[in-house]
Amino acid sequence: LTLAAFAWLSHLLLDTFYNHGRGIGLFWPISKQRLSLAMPWFGNWDLSEPVTSAHNLSVFGIEFLAYFPILAAALFYSRKVCNGGERDEA
């Protein structure tokens, strides 16, 4: 439960990094204030262009470089640490 809450909250934080400038309403419906921590290297997909356009591929590439190490670390942790490093034996 703690890991799920952490994942949800970290996802909300990561959503504030995109450069669309709108931010994210973290406290809606209590407050209309929005949080925007825009980082210029996190762009948005341009849905008017093909998925394989240079812009969309660069957005995907930057996100892949930023988030793949986190995914790899989580998978490593879940396989090695959570399973106690045990290996399946046939």
Side-chain angles (χ1 to χ4, degrees):
L1 184 61
T2 303
L3 288 176
F6 177 73
W8 178 69
L9 290 172
S10 66
H11 185 79
L12 289 176
L13 178 64
L14 290 172
D15 280 349
T16 67
F17 292 160
Y18 289 90
N19 68 0
H20 51 64
R22 293 184 305 251
I24 186 169
L26 286 176
F27 303 108
W28 180 89
I30 298 167
S31 171
K32 291 185 179 181
Q33 299 289 25
R34 300 176 77 81
L35 178 62
S36 178
L37 305 171
M39 296 181 153
W41 57 82
F42 281 172
N44 295 334
W45 282 49
D46 186 351
L47 299 177
S48 67
E49 296 182 18
V51 173
T52 56
S53 70
H55 172 77
N56 287 338
L57 289 176
S58 71
V59 168
F60 174 75
I62 291 168
E63 288 188 10
F64 180 81
L65 289 174
Y67 296 130
F68 182 75
I70 297 169
L71 174 64
L75 291 173
F76 176 80
Y77 177 82
S78 70
R79 289 181 186 240
K80 297 296 182 187
V81 177
C82 292
N83 293 334
E86 298 175 10
R87 293 182 181 210
D88 293 334
E89 295 184 20

